[in-house]
Amino acid sequence: MTDAVSLLRSHRESIDRLDAILVYTLGERFKHTQEVGRLKAAHDLPPSDPAREAEQIDRLERLAVEADLDPELAKEFLAFIISKVIRHHEAHRENT
């Protein structure tokens, strides 16, 4: 039982560390997308770019396969992020 508890603790520490990496990485990503939103608003560009979004979904799906991650999970995750980014871009456009 002690070995199981030790292994569980080790896995949880790794999960916690990876969660922190994800949060900081998302923070950095959103800093860039906020700048893109400001740039698009300043130049009257549309908040959404369906061609780029499709490319990114395809790219993430390939990366997911390489990483041994469920591609559907990766696509759902990116779709969620894209929807947030578009809302941010629309807000920048409204505030310009």
Side-chain angles (χ1 to χ4, degrees):
M1 184 66 158
T2 304
D3 288 341
V5 171
S6 177
L7 284 171
L8 182 61
R9 184 180 317 111
S10 176
H11 285 298
R12 286 180 172 165
E13 288 170 358
S14 292
I15 290 167
D16 292 349
R17 190 172 49 257
L18 291 165
D19 285 345
I21 290 168
L22 285 171
V23 168
Y24 280 94
T25 300
L26 281 172
E28 186 67 20
R29 188 186 196 287
F30 275 97
K31 286 176 191 171
H32 288 284
T33 60
Q34 290 287 1
E35 289 301 317
V36 167
R38 287 183 190 94
L39 183 63
K40 285 182 172 185
H43 294 277
D44 200 29
L45 297 169
S48 175
D49 184 345
R52 167 133 171 95
E53 293 160 22
E55 289 171 6
Q56 286 298 94
I57 289 170
D58 288 345
R59 179 176 164 272
L60 213 66
E61 190 172 22
R62 287 191 308 273
L63 290 172
V65 169
E66 291 173 14
D68 197 27
L69 176 68
D70 177 5
E72 281 303 310
L73 173 63
K75 285 169 43 177
E76 289 173 13
F77 180 69
L78 185 61
F80 172 76
I81 289 173
I82 288 171
S83 71
K84 289 288 192 185
V85 168
I86 290 170
R87 280 198 292 270
H88 290 162
H89 290 184
E90 289 169 344
H92 285 298
R93 191 178 184 101
E94 292 168 4
N95 295 328
T96 315

